Amino acid sequence: MPKPELEFFKPDRLTWEPVAASPTGGAGGAGVRQKILSKSEDGDVTRLLQFEAGVETMETITHDFWEEVWILEGELIDLGKKQTFTAGMYACRPPGMIHGPYRVPKGCVTLEMRYYKN
C-alpha cells in the first residue's frame, strides 16, 4: 500500500520518539529521535531525525533501502569518511552504501526519505 494522502501540516503536533541503533536500520541510540511524517506498509518512510548535541554513534551503517537525506539544521561528522556535513547538504544513498559512524557535536536535524525500489 502506498503512503497516505496528506495535505500540508506542521509536524509540531507529532511527538519525537527514540530510535534504536541498528547497523542495517540507520543511526540511533541515546540522544537520537524521530518524527515519522509518512510511511507505507511496505517500509517506505519519510521522517525527521534529530541528534542531540554530543551524540556519537558506534557502528557503520549499510541497509537494503534507498535513503535520501537533507540536513536541515546543525552538522554531523562522518567518522568513517572523515568529513563534516552541514545544514543545506544533501545525500542520496543506494542500498549497500556504507556510511557512519557519526559524531554530532552541536546537534543536527535531518529530513530523510527511505524507500525500496527494484
Side-chain angles (χ1 to χ4, degrees):
M1 176 171 201
K3 289 183 178 180
E5 182 178 299
L6 298 169
E7 189 50 84
F8 286 106
F9 69 95
K10 290 188 176 193
D12 304 6
R13 64 182 174 92
L14 303 175
T15 58
W16 289 103
E17 53 190 56
V19 179
S22 169
T24 59
V32 182
R33 302 182 308 165
Q34 67 181 0
K35 284 187 181 189
I36 302 294
L37 301 176
S38 67
K39 64 182 174 179
S40 70
E41 290 179 4
D42 57 358
D44 294 348
V45 174
T46 300
R47 70 180 183 165
L48 294 172
L49 189 64
Q50 179 187 64
F51 298 84
E52 291 179 5
V55 164
E56 188 164 332
T57 64
M58 299 296 162
E59 300 174 323
T60 58
I61 302 164
T62 184
H63 35 69
D64 63 348
F65 49 83
W66 284 86
E67 179 180 62
E68 295 184 67
V69 181
W70 185 7
I71 300 175
L72 301 175
E73 300 173 6
E75 65 181 28
L76 54 88
I77 301 166
D78 187 313
L79 299 173
K81 291 180 174 56
K82 297 180 176 133
Q83 290 182 280
T84 299
F85 303 111
T86 59
M89 297 180 88
Y90 165 83
C92 182
R93 300 180 179 132
M97 181 177 167
I98 297 170
H99 49 290
Y102 295 110
R103 179 178 299 135
V104 187
K106 300 175 186 175
C108 185
V109 176
T110 65
L111 173 65
E112 180 182 303
M113 288 133 300
R114 299 175 165 196
Y115 52 93
Y116 293 87
K117 181 178 177 181
N118 295 334

